Amino acid sequence: MDFNFTEEQTMIRDSLARLIKDQYDFDTRRKVVASKEGWRPEMWAQFAELGLLAAPFSEEDGGLGGGPIDAMVVMEEFGKGLVVEPFLQTVVLAGGFLKAGTSAQKEDHLAALISGERVFAFAYAEPKGRYNLADLETTATKDGSGWKISGHKAVVIGAPWASHLIVTARTSGGRRDAKGVGVFIVAKDAKGVTTRDYPTVDGRRASEVYFENVTVGADAVIGDPSDSLGLVEKVTDEAIAALCAEACGAMKVANAQTVEYSKTRKQFGTPIGKFQVLQHRMADMFIEHEQSVSMTYMATLKLGEDDVTRKKAASAAKVRIGQGGRFIGQQSIQIHGGMGMTDELAIGHYFKRLTMIDSEFGNVDHHLKRYTELSAAEVAVAAE
Amino acid sequence: MNLEFSPEEIAFRDEVRAFIRDNYPKELVGLGNREDLTREQFLAWHKILGKKGWSAPAWPKKYGGTGWTSTQRYIWSEENARVDALMPLPFGISMVGPVIYTFGNEEQKAKHLPGILAGDVWWAQGYSEPGAGSDLASLKTTAVRDGDHYVINGQKTWTTLAQHADWGFFLCRTDPSAKAQEGISFILVDMKTPGIEVRPIKLIDGTHEVNETWLTDVRVPVENLVGKENEGWTYAKFLLAHERSGIAGVARSKRGVERLRSIASQETLDGTPLIKTDEFARKISQLEIDLTALEFTELRTLASEAAGKGPGPESSILKIKGTEIQQRLTELTLEAVGNYGAPYARGMDHFGSNEIGVGPDYSNFSADAYFNMRKTSIYGGSNEIQRNIISKMILGL
């Protein structure tokens, strides 16, 4: 058992932290978020140059030989800086699927992903599907040797910036069946794809994506088109672990800013940080962050284990981080008082990001239910 | 970063598992969570471990520790929890032992450490007083120098299991004119010294776990002073940090969750096992998730201790979360047993038998355990004091 970071991981952390400090300060971020594009492709190019986009991939896939821990390190720093660029969508999610792809898909897409020239988004959610990854009304039907995709994907984060989409669609079975889920790579400029773009409350961009008889070749399929829910769950759990790391970064800064503010803001002639009721609140915020870090390590380190262990670990982490993030977010605003309500201070933006992280890939209730069902299934298996 | 055990660690696990299986006293099986045991029961496993050299895994090797890594210590506590083993009490091994080997002189080490390791000498903790609880530094018990002796007068309280104690470590005021935290000394006292009276305090769960300890003109040789006179507060704080690091109780709570699951599958609600109802199943899930968070926080703490840092203020997290979980566990267990939480096995004096004989076995003592566990967020520095420590020592408020 070992909780140390490798030299490479420490290097990634340090150089990324420096880059964010120099070029991603809060005012710059505000301007970028308010700009027409909403992100900085030149920043993405710098991420590629730093090796961030290559870090979690094996050397034979063209990466630097790292893994989920490298992604965790990157995401935590992104959380500290409220970075909006789509590392999670491109590297963790699309990269996660492409790792399971054919060598031709890797040669085409993974190479372009690592070099930074191709940016991806993950189109999985649907207007009525909530957090159930199998609840799909989007269909993919056989069309000669290829497929024809139709449907509506909801709140596809990062889609306005993406050149390509990873799309889940039903190839057979009923609406929520576990069987019959396929995964497809679709170029966003393919005929029949239309998007309606919009900003999100936490400074990112998203799209509703509509597919109308979009035809793709057989080479667009990742994995088994009739049975890929397992793959979708696995990659989504990897994204959950990375998202938890981002939350930890955001929590850390929110706590630090709140403690700092409480030392300078005076009321009744004394810094409010001297009031025990607020000291204990901030002690609890500190504990929530530490426990979130622990859970993020746990979930990340268990990604490679058997399905049930991995799923339980991801759900457990998402529950704790959802609860911790909500507590820290709300209390940060409370302790900042009226100033916490203003758009001018960074703290409100950390609060908003933490709030949205809870609902991404399933909120507390969803994952508590998933964890409970997995535990029950485990007990049933043990009893047989 | 990885969670895997090395082949050496797996071999170690197998070794300790076999040792526990072959040596854990059969008569102690099932008693792991009880407070009302005999002195012999409390010490039986401790003595066996003492002979083996495994009674104090956290101590430095040169004082009789095992030299195990933090991972080995984790494995050790996991393996003991698997059989609900009655572990050595903390007063000698986790509290006064580390103070003696860190601040005591060579004579004190030679005199006291072997008895602590072997489980031959039972120690009591003389910290709290009727007027000094969370505000420990306001203690009033005095030790006045008289030739080669200190003469101690005062009253201590909540002295856990002092009815069995051979020796005690007492915080006494040696300089009444100094500020609260200065002027306190850390003194070792033979409990057979004339002038010491231990009186039982009965607790809400019916057990006699704690006592009042009255000290009247108790004459203690000056060589029983640990470290320097008037610097006892430093040693007292050091002791509390050590106490806290063992307090998380993760392995034991994991056993408790298993037990709770088993109870909840036997109890039914409208004909359905309780564990299959959404409400109760999710309460267990939440508890288990919080326990996982605590477990990995403890592992991170152990890893940083192994890297050379002693238990720091971060151990307050373990104390707060560990005790909250222990309390929640007994609370849910009591909830799970339903009506049979009510019968009071320790109150059978007028009923011709001390066996309660009703309800499922697992329901016995479930309310008592819940009542008893309320102590955990009060002792060892209350959980509010732990939050003070975090806000002052870590957040700098």
Side-chain angles (χ1 to χ4, degrees):
Chain A
M1 210 181 291
D2 165 25
F3 287 96
N4 295 314
F5 293 99
T6 63
E7 223 170 281
E8 289 77 24
Q9 288 157 356
T10 307
M11 235 165 60
I12 289 176
R13 183 190 297 283
D14 292 347
S15 49
L16 180 53
R18 227 178 359 256
L19 179 67
I20 290 173
K21 186 168 171 287
D22 293 346
Q23 298 185 36
Y24 222 110
D25 59 278
F26 180 62
D27 281 337
T28 308
R29 178 193 184 265
R30 270 160 61 105
K31 287 190 195 109
V32 171
V33 165
S35 71
K36 186 165 184 295
E37 296 74 23
W39 74 314
R40 279 181 290 174
E42 68 272 20
M43 189 53 65
W44 195 253
Q46 290 199 56
F47 292 158
E49 210 168 292
L50 268 182
L52 303 185
L53 310 184
F57 299 105
S58 70
E59 282 171 22
E60 71 186 32
D61 284 346
L64 297 178
I69 297 167
D70 300 71
M72 177 178 91
V73 168
V74 171
M75 287 298 287
E76 193 186 353
E77 294 308 311
F78 277 20
K80 290 181 193 166
L82 291 176
V83 171
V84 297
E85 278 73 13
F87 182 89
L88 182 78
Q89 290 72 25
T90 300
V91 177
V92 180
L93 284 157
F97 284 111
L98 289 169
K99 274 191 290 185
T102 62
S103 50
Q105 286 169 335
K106 286 181 187 175
E107 241 166 72
D108 180 7
H109 294 288
L110 201 49
L113 183 160
I114 288 172
S115 70
E117 77 195 70
R118 216 168 278 179
V119 171
F120 291 79
F122 181 35
Y124 71 102
E126 299 195 355
K128 290 177 187 158
R130 208 171 168 80
Y131 307 126
N132 182 349
L133 300 169
D135 192 344
L136 299 172
E137 288 187 292
T138 299
T139 57
T141 48
K142 204 82 181 108
D143 178 46
S145 69
W147 297 82
K148 192 183 282 179
I149 302 171
S150 290
H152 170 191
K153 291 292 181 177
V155 199
V156 183
I157 300 290
W161 307 323
S163 60
H164 288 73
L165 305 168
I166 304 286
V167 184
T168 57
R170 182 156 291 290
T171 54
S172 67
R175 189 171 135 189
R176 281 178 288 272
D177 286 355
K179 281 257 172 169
V181 175
V183 179
F184 303 86
I185 312 170
V186 182
K188 207 175 75 175
D189 59 9
K191 191 164 172 288
V193 177
T194 51
T195 61
R196 183 194 169 96
D197 300 348
Y198 48 86
T200 63
V201 293
D202 53 353
R204 295 173 300 162
R205 298 287 162 95
S207 309
E208 298 299 289
V209 184
Y210 303 91
F211 299 87
E212 213 181 316
N213 295 319
V214 177
T215 55
V216 293
D219 60 353
V221 179
I222 298 179
D224 178 351
S226 68
D227 195 15
S228 277
L229 183 61
L231 174 65
V232 175
E233 285 191 273
K234 181 169 182 293
V235 175
T236 306
D237 284 341
E238 290 166 5
I240 286 172
L243 197 58
C244 288
E246 183 190 353
C248 288
M251 288 180 194
K252 190 177 172 110
V253 175
N255 280 352
Q257 291 188 350
T258 303
V259 167
E260 199 43 46
Y261 183 80
S262 81
K263 287 178 181 172
T264 52
R265 169 72 176 169
K266 283 188 180 162
Q267 288 289 276
F268 307 103
T270 178
I272 61 172
K274 290 286 172 204
F275 299 132
Q276 193 178 42
V277 69
L278 297 189
Q279 291 180 343
H280 284 197
R281 189 94 40 87
M282 287 183 272
D284 286 334
M285 291 161 74
F286 170 79
I287 293 173
E288 289 292 348
H289 169 247
E290 285 297 325
Q291 302 229 91
S292 297
V293 172
S294 301
M295 288 304 255
T296 300
Y297 287 5
M298 185 276 302
T300 306
L301 291 168
K302 289 191 173 181
L303 285 174
E305 298 202 13
D306 65 89
D307 284 356
V308 174
T309 305
R310 183 203 75 229
K311 289 178 189 178
K312 280 182 75 179
S315 284
K318 195 67 172 45
V319 167
R320 265 269 39 101
I321 272 99
Q323 291 168 332
R326 182 160 299 190
F327 181 76
I328 288 174
Q330 292 176 347
Q331 298 309 325
S332 295
I333 299 294
Q334 179 69 19
I335 294 174
H336 273 84
M339 287 308 291
M341 295 298 295
T342 63
D343 183 64
E344 178 193 338
L345 254 62
I347 194 69
H349 300 266
Y350 285 94
F351 167 58
K352 291 196 279 186
R353 180 68 194 123
L354 285 169
T355 305
M356 287 302 110
I357 284 176
D358 178 39
S359 61
E360 268 184 86
F361 301 110
N363 62 8
V364 169
D365 281 353
H366 172 81
H367 283 286
L368 198 53
K369 180 166 179 276
R370 184 182 186 226
Y371 183 95
T372 304
E373 286 165 0
L374 288 161
S375 298
E378 242 180 349
V379 171
V381 169
E384 271 165 19
Chain B
M1 227 186 237
N2 69 76
L3 294 176
E4 282 142 35
F5 290 147
S6 66
E8 294 77 24
E9 286 161 349
I10 290 169
F12 172 81
R13 185 195 64 197
D14 294 344
E15 181 195 354
V16 300
R17 186 175 291 180
F19 180 80
I20 294 169
R21 183 193 61 222
D22 298 341
N23 293 281
Y24 190 71
K26 299 287 167 282
E27 60 275 18
L28 296 186
V29 172
L31 297 179
N33 289 312
R34 298 273 294 275
E35 278 76 28
D36 52 349
L37 306 176
T38 65
R39 181 184 159 109
E40 288 65 36
Q41 287 173 319
F42 272 122
L43 290 176
W45 185 224
H46 187 162
K47 283 175 187 276
I48 293 166
L49 296 178
K51 285 203 185 77
K52 178 79 177 166
W54 286 0
S55 58
W59 287 20
K61 201 155 186 210
K62 71 177 204 180
Y63 295 122
T66 52
W68 292 340
T69 63
S70 55
T71 307
Q72 286 175 310
R73 280 159 57 193
Y74 168 80
I75 292 171
W76 173 243
S77 59
E78 285 277 315
E79 291 302 315
N80 275 283
R82 275 164 49 93
V83 301
D84 237 340
L86 200 62
M87 296 309 282
L89 290 162
F91 315 107
I93 298 283
S94 314
M95 297 184 185
V96 75
V99 170
I100 291 175
Y101 68 64
T102 308
F103 303 106
N105 57 38
E106 293 311 313
E107 291 73 32
Q108 289 166 337
K109 292 178 198 171
K111 179 171 178 183
H112 295 295
L113 297 184
I116 294 172
L117 287 165
D120 290 336
V121 180
W122 187 304
W123 285 83
Q125 180 183 29
Y127 267 40
S128 296
E129 297 182 4
S134 287
D135 181 15
L136 184 58
S138 71
L139 58 91
K140 290 194 169 62
T141 295
T142 55
V144 178
R145 186 75 181 260
D146 178 28
D148 291 339
H149 286 78
Y150 286 110
V151 180
I152 303 179
N153 278 286
Q155 184 196 344
K156 295 290 177 179
T157 192
W158 316 130
T159 335
T160 304
L161 300 172
Q163 64 266 38
H164 304 299
D166 305 302
W167 278 78
F169 50 98
F170 287 81
L171 292 181
C172 306
R173 194 159 292 288
T174 37
D175 181 357
S177 63
K179 278 197 303 181
Q181 293 167 359
E182 293 154 22
I184 291 171
S185 294
F186 192 103
I187 300 173
L188 310 178
V189 181
D190 184 337
M191 294 295 280
K192 288 186 293 295
T193 317
I196 300 179
E197 193 195 340
V198 174
R199 298 179 192 165
I201 301 173
K202 188 178 175 184
L203 293 181
I204 51 177
D205 63 341
T207 57
H208 170 200
E209 191 183 1
V210 291
N211 302 273
E212 294 176 346
T213 303
W214 296 73
L215 302 109
T216 313
D217 295 330
V218 178
R219 293 184 68 82
V220 178
V222 287
E223 62 257 31
N224 288 5
L225 172 75
V226 175
K228 294 198 180 120
E229 195 175 79
N230 297 332
E231 291 190 8
W233 186 250
T234 311
Y235 319 142
K237 277 196 304 187
F238 168 88
L239 179 150
L240 287 172
H242 266 262
E243 180 187 2
R244 282 197 293 275
S245 62
I247 222 160
V250 170
R252 183 164 298 262
S253 288
K254 278 202 218 165
R255 256 310 269 132
V257 173
E258 276 174 38
R259 186 168 171 270
L260 174 60
R261 278 191 187 284
S262 146
I263 293 172
S265 7
Q266 295 169 70
E267 289 289 322
T268 55
L269 174 71
D270 299 332
T272 304
L274 198 55
I275 199 163
K276 297 208 166 153
T277 65
D278 285 348
E279 294 83 354
F280 204 80
R282 284 185 203 171
K283 284 183 188 176
I284 298 180
S285 292
Q286 181 77 57
L287 178 67
E288 204 169 50
I289 288 169
D290 292 345
L291 181 54
T292 306
L294 176 69
E295 180 181 17
F296 277 78
T297 304
E298 185 177 42
L299 289 173
R300 287 171 56 213
T301 310
L302 285 174
S304 82
E305 271 178 43
K309 296 199 293 173
E314 291 82 4
S315 63
S316 292
I317 301 178
L318 305 180
K319 202 277 171 167
I320 295 172
K321 286 295 153 188
T323 55
E324 284 177 0
I325 285 168
Q326 289 157 30
Q327 292 179 334
R328 185 77 180 133
L329 191 52
T330 53
E331 190 181 344
L332 289 185
T333 305
L334 176 59
E335 264 182 48
V337 303
N339 289 321
Y340 277 113
Y344 181 37
R346 291 191 178 101
M348 293 290 288
D349 304 2
H350 304 300
F351 300 88
S353 158
N354 51 16
E355 288 290 313
I356 199 112
V358 297
D361 280 352
Y362 58 67
S363 69
N364 291 338
F365 302 107
S366 54
D368 299 347
Y370 165 66
F371 299 147
N372 186 278
M373 279 294 127
R374 301 317 297 171
K375 73 188 175 190
T376 62
S377 52
I378 302 167
Y379 68 27
S382 72
N383 287 11
E384 287 71 26
I385 293 293
Q386 303 306 326
R387 289 183 172 88
N388 287 352
I389 293 172
I390 291 172
S391 60
K392 289 195 171 53
M393 309 292 288
I394 299 175
L395 305 181
L397 290 168

